[in-house]
Each structure stands twice: as C-alpha cells, then as structure tokens.
Amino acid sequence: METEVIQIDEHNIDEASKKSLQRAGQIIRDGGLVAFPTETVYGLGGDALNPDSSRKIYAAKGRPSDNPLIVHVADFEDLETIVKEVPDSARKLAKAFWPGPLTMIMNKNDRVPYETTGGLDTVAIRMPNNEIALELIRQSGGFIAAPSANTSGRPSPTVARYCIEDLSGKIEMILDGGQVGIGLESTIVDLTSDVPMILRPGYITLDMLKEILGEVEVDRTIIDSNSGAKPKAPGMKYRHYAPKGQLTIIQGEQSKVVEYINRKAKEAAAEGKKVGVIGTDATKALYDADVIKSVGNRQDERTIAHELFKVLREFDDENIDVMFSESFDDSGIGQAIMNRLLKAAGHNVIIL
Ligand code: AMP
Ligand code: MG
C-alpha cells in the first residue's frame, strides 16, 4: 500500500487542507487508517465503531489485541451516545480539561465493539486539543479509535517523521502537522470505580484532578516497579517506549551523576560501543560521550515532556548502543516523565 503524506498547519487550515481532511475522513469512514497529530503524540486513527478498523490498527502497530484503544470524540454529545451513562465526574472533568490531554474510562454501550476495547465492558474516551484532529474526527463520523502512531513498544511519535518510519506502506495516509505541543500521552482516569483512579500519569496531574473531584487514587503499579501487581490499564503491563539501545537511569546528586555517567561512558566506548547521554540544558556541557542531548530544562518540566520521546528516537537514528539518562523529580508532570523514562529503561536504575 502506498502511504500518502500531507502537510497541514494546525493554525492555518486553508481550503486545500480542508479538502485533505475531508478525504482523510472518507478513508476512515471506508474502514481505512490515517495517522494524525494531536496535542499529546501522533495517533493512528480508524473508525472506532467498526471492528475491522480496530483489527487493522492492531495489525499495523503489531499491538497485542488485549490492549484497548482510546476513542477520540470532537463533541461531548457524541460521548453520550457510546456509554451506559455519563457520570457527574465526567461532566466536571470535561468542563475543566476538554479538549485536552485527559482520557476518561466509562462503561460502554453496545455501539462500541469489543475489538476496540480489547474485550472490556469499559471504554476510554478523549477529546484532543488540536484543530487537525478535531476536524478529522468530525469528517470521519465522530469516533476515531487511535493509539499512538508507532510500532508497538517503540517511543511514541511526536513528529510525523517517526510515523512515516514505523507505518509507511501499512496505512492509507499520514497527516503531518509538525511537532506536537505536549509530547507525552494523555493522563488516563478510570471513572467506573467508587473513587476515580489514575491508570496512566500525564500532563493533567493528580493535583489538578483532585481540585475538581476531591478524592482521586493512583494505580500503584504506575510508580512502583516492584509491586508485582497487575496494572489496571492493560497496556501498561507491556514493555514500552523503548529505544533500541540499552538505557540506564542514574539517580543522585548532580555532580556524582555527571562523574558516574562520564566514567561509564568511557568504559562502554572502550568496549567499542556508541554511547549517548540524556542531560539537561544545565548539565549538557559537562558530559563526554559520542552523542549528548539535552532533554530540556528542570525549571520547566514541560520542556522535558516535550522532548523526551523525540530524544529517544534520535538516539535510535544514530544507532546508539548504550544510553545514560539523568533522573527527574517524580511529582507533578514529573510523574508522567519518570513513568515513561522508567519503562523505556526497563526499570534499569542506578542509585548513587
Ligand atoms: P495508547 O493507545 O498507546 O495511548 O494506549 C492506550 C492506553 O489506554 C493503554 O495503556 C490501554 O491499556 C489504556 N486503556 C484503554 N482503554 C482502557 C479501558 N477501557 N480500561 C483501562 N485501560 C484502558
Ligand atoms: Mg502507545
């Protein structure tokens, strides 16, 4: 299959772009797949109410079919037509955070096929905050099932280049809307339990949810790698976000971390390995290795969220064998950053 790549500027959707979005919508209505930008990461979209489309999404990604897909909507009224009932909490959260990087889990009705929910009676729903995504959803009939647009297990794409790398030849179209704004996947909150529970941390933090709902719990498996418990979001049990090389996170006082990483980088280089380091704006100049990248600025963690997946993919582009990363504070958005980084490293952490 030939994959068409079309560039669209989110902030200037002209007549030609509108026509492209109509065509993209028709592809999805006809059961095909289109990758598109959202504010979190790129999504791989198909008709959420068509079981064949969901099957195709799993096949294109190589994703296990028990790992449910998030359904994207553009209008709150549409949500009401695919769930058993809309909890009060969902109305409050939508008012506060939609369109935005928050996914809510509710009890599904019969319109949503089990192929989309990985066999579950619940469905995850989100309204993305990106004009290209919203227009595509409307043009597609209202419901797009979309996981991240990467090969299962690899870091999620935050630029179209990596969707093309993973999915070219496997899907009908890729909409290139430039680099996404946030860079990490949505926060997932389960509203079917007595107390709402965060199943995946993201840009919308625990404190932000508590401010709207009062009591909110966090699935312990998100942060505690040794609990042995099964994550409540089926997808969180899989190895994820992983670069091709081996990544180790080094935790400790800054000067010790720099010294340790430089020593280990030298040892690995002596064994003939190509070494990469993930530092920050403040520490980048202190490292000595083949490729050194800053992931952002600790004073503004949004910069780190924005760059993390891109940096991991860039190390793959440069065939890096061994990577060392600094560790980050795990409160606020940092919880999402560390959740992704720990998974990318297979929970390989050295504490100094
Ligand atoms: P991705 O599509 O790559 O953003 O991943 C979607 C995540 O949402 C996975 O970790 C899924 O396990 C999780 N998810 C989707 N639907 C549900 C659901 N009904 N219950 C629990 N987790 C879900
Ligand atoms: Mg994903």
Side-chain angles (χ1 to χ4, degrees):
M1 179 186 308
E2 179 115 14
T3 304
E4 198 180 346
V5 180
I6 294 179
Q7 270 154 23
I8 300 184
D9 177 357
E10 188 199 348
H11 304 293
N12 179 24
I13 300 186
D14 55 15
E15 283 309 311
S17 302
K18 276 189 194 144
K19 285 226 170 75
S20 300
L21 284 164
Q22 265 168 16
R23 254 185 340 109
Q26 192 61 47
I27 289 171
I28 291 180
R29 283 174 194 264
D30 291 343
L33 304 184
V34 176
F36 61 98
T38 78
E39 81 280 34
T40 57
V41 300
Y42 274 76
L44 170 57
D47 180 354
L49 305 188
N50 179 348
D52 283 337
S53 298
S54 293
R55 279 191 211 106
K56 283 187 197 166
I57 290 175
Y58 288 112
K61 276 182 66 82
R63 174 167 171 143
S65 61
D66 68 342
N67 185 358
L69 307 175
I70 295 174
V71 177
H72 294 69
V73 297
D75 295 290
F76 194 83
E77 293 73 47
D78 285 340
L79 176 160
E80 297 181 287
T81 71
I82 59 166
V83 297
K84 284 226 165 95
E85 75 265 291
V86 183
D88 254 359
S89 51
R91 290 185 199 284
K92 287 185 192 151
L93 290 176
K95 197 153 176 256
F97 301 117
W98 275 8
L102 179 70
T103 297
M104 303 187 222
I105 293 176
M106 295 170 228
N107 289 308
K108 79 174 194 73
N109 69 19
D110 292 343
R111 288 191 79 198
V112 186
Y114 283 114
E115 282 78 1
T116 299
T117 66
L120 298 175
D121 288 315
T122 53
V123 58
I125 309 173
R126 177 169 107 81
M127 188 188 294
N129 185 19
N130 175 295
E131 283 309 317
I132 299 170
L134 290 168
E135 187 54 25
L136 178 65
I137 293 165
R138 292 191 194 105
Q139 295 292 342
S140 307
F143 305 93
I144 294 187
S148 48
N150 54 293
T151 298
S152 192
R154 297 202 67 197
S156 303
T158 53
V159 291
R161 174 165 93 246
Y162 296 126
C163 302
I164 297 170
E165 191 175 303
D166 285 8
L167 297 171
S168 202
K170 297 181 179 165
I171 65 176
E172 278 79 0
M173 188 183 273
I174 295 173
L175 300 176
D176 178 351
Q179 186 166 359
V180 301
I182 290 180
L184 294 181
E185 301 88 345
S186 60
T187 305
I188 301 181
V189 60
D190 184 356
L191 302 178
T192 66
S193 45
D194 288 341
V195 178
M197 184 184 276
I198 295 181
L199 306 189
R200 178 173 74 185
Y203 200 78
I204 306 290
T205 62
L206 174 64
D207 286 343
M208 289 160 82
L209 293 176
K210 277 186 174 164
E211 214 164 281
I212 306 292
L213 298 181
E215 207 181 353
V216 178
E217 288 176 345
V218 180
D219 183 358
R220 294 311 302 168
T221 61
I222 285 173
I223 20 191
D224 185 358
S225 55
N226 306 315
S227 70
K230 215 167 100 189
K232 292 196 169 56
M236 298 298 280
K237 68 176 181 276
Y238 293 106
R239 183 165 153 79
H240 247 104
Y241 318 122
K244 290 175 189 155
Q246 193 206 351
L247 171 65
T248 306
I249 302 168
I250 315 298
Q251 201 178 318
E253 199 188 298
Q254 192 191 92
S255 59
K256 285 193 186 150
V257 169
V258 171
E259 188 193 76
Y260 181 90
I261 289 179
N262 280 339
R263 180 156 44 86
K264 288 289 166 188
K266 211 171 179 184
E267 283 171 21
E271 291 168 19
K273 296 196 169 120
K274 197 167 175 194
V275 183
V277 175
I278 301 179
T280 59
D281 292 351
T283 58
K284 188 173 182 253
L286 306 175
Y287 291 109
D288 187 11
D290 294 306
V291 181
I292 303 153
K293 289 184 185 287
S294 168
V295 74
N297 174 352
R298 284 181 191 274
Q299 271 69 56
D300 182 359
E301 286 179 314
R302 287 172 301 182
T303 59
I304 299 173
H306 189 243
E307 290 302 304
L308 179 63
F309 282 142
K310 189 154 146 284
V311 163
L312 292 174
R313 301 274 315 212
E314 284 169 356
F315 280 132
D316 284 353
D317 295 344
E318 306 203 41
N319 296 312
I320 299 291
D321 303 304
V322 178
M323 282 154 286
F324 299 98
S325 175
E326 296 179 12
S327 184
F328 301 94
D329 184 20
D330 68 358
S331 60
I333 309 173
Q335 188 168 60
I337 293 169
M338 281 310 289
N339 170 264
R340 306 308 192 276
L341 190 60
L342 281 162
K343 278 175 169 280
H347 288 274
N348 195 2
V349 185
I350 305 267
I351 299 170
L352 301 179

